[in-house]
Amino acid sequence: MDDLLVEFLNESNESVSNLDDLLLKLEESPGDLNIIRDIFRILHTIKGTCGFMGLTRLEKLSHSFENVIDKLRSDSLTVDQDTIQTLFKALDKLKIIMANLTDSGTEGEGEDNEIIQELNTRLDFLNGEISPSEEIVIKEDEAVQSVDLSCEESGQDSINQDEIIPEGMSKSEKKEFADIAKDPEAVQKVEQSKEVAVDQPKIKDADAHSKEESKDGANLSAAQSIRISLDVIDQLMTLVSELVLSRNQLLQFSNQNPNPALGNSLQHLSQITSELQEGIMKTRMQPFQNVLSKFPRVIRDLAKDLNKKVTFTQEGSETEIDRQVLEMMKDPLMHILRNSVDHGIELPTDRVKKGKSETGNVHVRTFHEGGRIVIEIKDDGKGLDVSAIKEKIVEKKLASPSELEELPDSKIFAYVFEAGFSTAKVVSNVSGRGVGMDVVKTNIEKIGGTISLDSILNEGTTITIHIPLTLTIISALLVESENQRFAIPQSSIIELVLVSPHSVHQIEYLKDVPLLKLRDKIVPLVSLSQLLKLSSEKKGLSESFYVLICQISNSVFGIIVDRMFDTQEIVVKPLISRLNNNPYFSGSTILGDGSVVMILEPNGINHTLSSYQGNVQDQAVSSKTAKQGQRAKTLLLVFKTAENQQAVPLALVTRIDEINVNDIYEQDDRMIIKYRNHLLPIVYFSDAVHKTCLEKRSNKQKSQESTEDEIAQQKEISVQNQIVDELDSIMPILIFSDRGRSMGLIVNEICNIFEENLDVKLMNESPGVLGTTIIDGQPTSIIDCEHYLKQAYTDWFDVTQQDAKRNAPQHKGSILFIDDSPFFRNLIAPVLTIAGYDVTTASDGLDGLKAYKQMQGKLDCILSDIEMPNMNGYEFAQHIQNLPEWLPIPLIALSGRNSEEDFEKSRQVGFSDYIVKSDQQTLLRTLKKHIKQQNALDGILK
Amino acid sequence: MIENQYLTVRINEYLFGLPVEKVHDVFYTPKMTPIPLAPEKFVGLLNMRGRIMAAVDMKSCLDLGKTDFNEKTMSVVVEDQGEYYSLIVDKVNEVIYPTPDQKDNIPSTLNPKWLHMAKQIYRLPNELMIVLDLVKVFDD
């Protein structure tokens, strides 16, 4: 393509997008002559240039286009809807031809007669409908040949000169304009001079400009910019980075060999370099307007299609943003806006019914906030219906109803961004195809942004997007693993944790998978060294290391690294395409010392991590379904005593911690410790543990008893000993909490967390033990929490019963609990009792039916396992509902299985809810909810 | 005529020709940053005057073992589709202008990998020179 054509296209593309804008404005204020004149000028320039370039298709089309505009202009007519529509069509055609030009360098094959005909028809219509001053028309017809002469015969009334003078003109301009209007020759002259100019476009351009500008003073904004190819800018970027590096090396040299003269010059050089770097960076920035300018038209067309009335307003469109970011925001924004118009804004009649104005509004606001750019898209449409979303979530099986119960609206709205989620009831060609918001979210996250949604039913929806200012320079943390340095974007790191043998936070293992217990969260970990296979030998974690806690949308995970350095502003350079298939890297950069480091991509790491976890779950599910009747896996916390290995279901443990034995106080045979500003009753797991604690305390006392002389002698040693003492007097503690009361169980050593099938081999051999099972090849006692709870609070049950009495005059309800496993009966029954329910247990479906008949009428709720011998949970549910004496009470399934089919099946056979085993809190909440509902129902019936 | 000029490089005992128009620079290989999980031949990233490029160990590409790096290891910078690669070779020799009649058919019994990467073969007075198809070297 020759340079001239490229230049023409650059210029014209800009003009055409201006035309879009102007036509929209014209539609809003159809009589505004200033706008018409602007349009005319642009078209005229295009037409002229086309003639010069030999682009006949474009020339003809723009000529016809111009004629219509010229007619409007010279007769100061008000534009009607049909004409606007035709003009838009013509503009689209112009764009198509220009696109052909851009792609292939030719105008392409095609016929424009139809649209030219349509334009001519409009012109005829304009000519016929309104009767302009005859002379002007004739003169004009001489200059513009395609105008139908028939208009000559139309009305003879000369128009009032004032009418054709547009508003907003100065007096002198008015006069000039009036003169031109009055003097047909002057009009002709202007026209002719333009016609001449067509043959000499270079002169014409300046000529026409000066003429037009002198004529209507408006829109004087002269172009203060030039076009530079992006390659040039990118190259400049590279050179500047290079310059910065050279400067840094010089500075380093100067620091080692101080020389005042050199120092001063360097200082100066350094400053200029920084400014230059900043300046080059700025060239990459573009106003947000560049992307927004496309939207008014899209929204207008869409609203027309949907028979809606929508206005589009914008604020802060001058906010500058990196070209690359801007480019990547285009599609997501378009999608959101289309959604707003399609789903958000209601039909005019509906809006009126709701007492809103007929016309909806979509507002886009852009602003800087904390080094990021915030884009807010707000519509005043119908908003999102939380309950509809909840239904959809359940229908799409993204979460269970009881899970949703707890979530705040903001979390519910977040589901809109999940894959395969679309709330539109009808699939339209605009949106609602189920692909959409999740893609939007992915795209925004790809550039390190976030998206959130807030909505009020019938008032509207606001979508807020946060994006980084630029992608090229990011703030990154430098880390090291296996002596290799990496950079990681700081934006995704929320916390840094040092893990060492004595640190607060410790690593725990779940079947060889390391987890970090961070306050009340369990954070999955991935070792950078393992992930990137940095070391050929397979080894465990070192003694002390750092964990980068990263957050990508809702998931939090930790990356294990060996060392950490400082944060730096780095220039991101893309990886070469042949190395780009690795999701863990987003690019590379050159550091101040000239070395290259790879930039980690937390998004990619998170993805691998979650798909890995997903696999584990899938495997678990599939193995479960493969081996029917196999017991569900339970997380067990295993701890050791001298004689035996013990375990307790993790779900029952509130916290694992360490205490100093010297902080324990004895009070009337009961042990108490000050723990986080509370007094916590504690129980020793066994006498052996008690003994160990006493030994540790006596050591300390012994050293305190030593004489002063000895202390002086041993001063140095004691300083060291003190630290050892501190460590020596530490004991691990398991904390159980319930109903606002807590107790601590001191044990010898906490080993690990296992996920195991609870296959209890031996039952009830001694108090405090529920049974024995094999964990990790070791016989392990499952401890009976109840036993220890009672030791801490002898009145535990009394209190709870009193409590229950105080809270409700009667007991909370009677529950029939059916489970074939004695272990679970022993585990859950006390929990329910503690919570204030009367519990009757049964060992299988048949047993359950028997119990129901006996208890008949006294039960409030039935809780049943699914997998059971003789009669399973499904059969039980069907049977019991067919009993003549059946009174409808809530039937709740309690199962170790967690698959969708199980959910569905249990619902089909009549269970009102489904709870996954070993989640105590959910169980209690669900029971409470159902029994409350039942009581309310009974109340109504009575 | 630049088209028929080749920069000759030695890898082990073999002589290879690189089309001169593709070659941008020849320099001693600086310190490299290893690229985790990358194919073996991409031995690292290096900074060449502010430009990051991937170093390709030609020995690894040609099944000739691995280069033992020292400060005298030579790199030849070549460009492919706007991206820069630095080819690690043992020695860089002169630029030669073979005549068309020195061109010969590529023997079909060549090692299949070499056969795939070889574009042309020239009979020089003392030995054979294989002209490499760089795209195939990178993509292989």
Side-chain angles (χ1 to χ4, degrees), chain A residues 601-613:
Chain A
E601 171 63 276
N603 253 322
I605 295 173
N606 176 41
H607 200 74
T608 340
L609 207 66
S610 45
S611 67
Y612 169 72
Q613 287 167 344

Side-chain angles (χ1 to χ4, degrees), chain A residues 238 242 245 484 486 531-534 573 575-579 582 584-585 588-590 594-598, chain B residues 31 33-39 42 45-47 49-54 80-81 83-85 135 138-139:
Chain A
T238 315
E242 185 76 2
L245 291 182
Q484 250 196 74
F486 295 92
L531 184 75
L532 303 179
K533 300 194 171 66
L534 298 179
K573 305 200 174 198
L575 282 178
I576 56 167
S577 51
R578 286 189 173 88
L579 292 173
N582 189 330
Y584 306 138
F585 299 112
S588 52
T589 190
I590 300 174
S595 60
V596 180
V597 297
M598 310 276 292
Chain B
K31 211 180 130 238
T33 303
I35 315 167
L37 308 177
F42 290 108
L45 293 177
L46 43 87
N47 168 14
R49 296 193 201 118
R51 191 172 258 154
I52 296 174
M53 50 187 75
D80 176 54
Q81 293 157 40
E83 294 176 327
Y84 292 82
Y85 297 84
V135 175
F138 297 145
D139 281 341

Side-chain angles (χ1 to χ4, degrees), chain A residues 267-278:
Chain A
Q267 192 59 41
H268 195 55
L269 174 74
S270 171
Q271 200 178 336
I272 294 175
T273 311
S274 302
E275 278 174 31
L276 186 60
Q277 189 183 14
E278 216 169 282

Side-chain angles (χ1 to χ4, degrees), chain A residues 247-261:
Chain A
R247 175 201 63 183
N248 292 352
Q249 279 160 5
L250 266 179
L251 282 174
Q252 215 168 355
F253 174 77
S254 158
N255 285 341
Q256 284 157 2
N257 312 281
N259 177 331

Side-chain angles (χ1 to χ4, degrees), chain A residues 103-199:
Chain A
D103 291 345
S104 61
T106 65
E107 292 178 288
E109 298 292 313
E111 263 306 313
D112 312 316
N113 280 343
E114 197 180 319
I115 183 70
I116 291 179
Q117 198 53 51
E118 206 175 322
L119 283 167
N120 288 341
T121 317
R122 294 321 306 169
L123 188 61
D124 293 349
F125 168 74
L126 292 174
N127 280 332
E129 175 111 345
I130 299 158
S131 41
S133 161
E134 196 190 348
E135 288 97 328
I136 293 174
V137 171
I138 294 166
K139 294 299 173 195
E140 208 175 76
D141 284 350
E142 281 166 12
V144 187
Q145 287 166 2
S146 61
V147 176
D148 197 328
L149 278 167
S150 67
C151 62
E152 226 179 314
E153 286 134 33
S154 59
Q156 301 278 323
D157 310 1
S158 72
I159 48 166
N160 185 344
Q161 276 162 9
D162 285 341
E163 272 175 12
I164 59 169
I165 297 171
E167 287 166 42
M169 272 191 163
S170 71
K171 264 212 170 122
S172 64
E173 281 170 342
K174 272 188 186 166
K175 189 166 181 299
E176 199 189 336
F177 190 88
D179 288 347
I180 294 171
K182 234 191 276 178
D183 179 3
E185 267 174 41
V187 173
Q188 197 180 7
K189 243 195 280 171
V190 172
E191 288 295 340
Q192 274 172 350
S193 74
K194 278 179 200 153
E195 290 296 328
V196 172
V198 170
D199 296 322

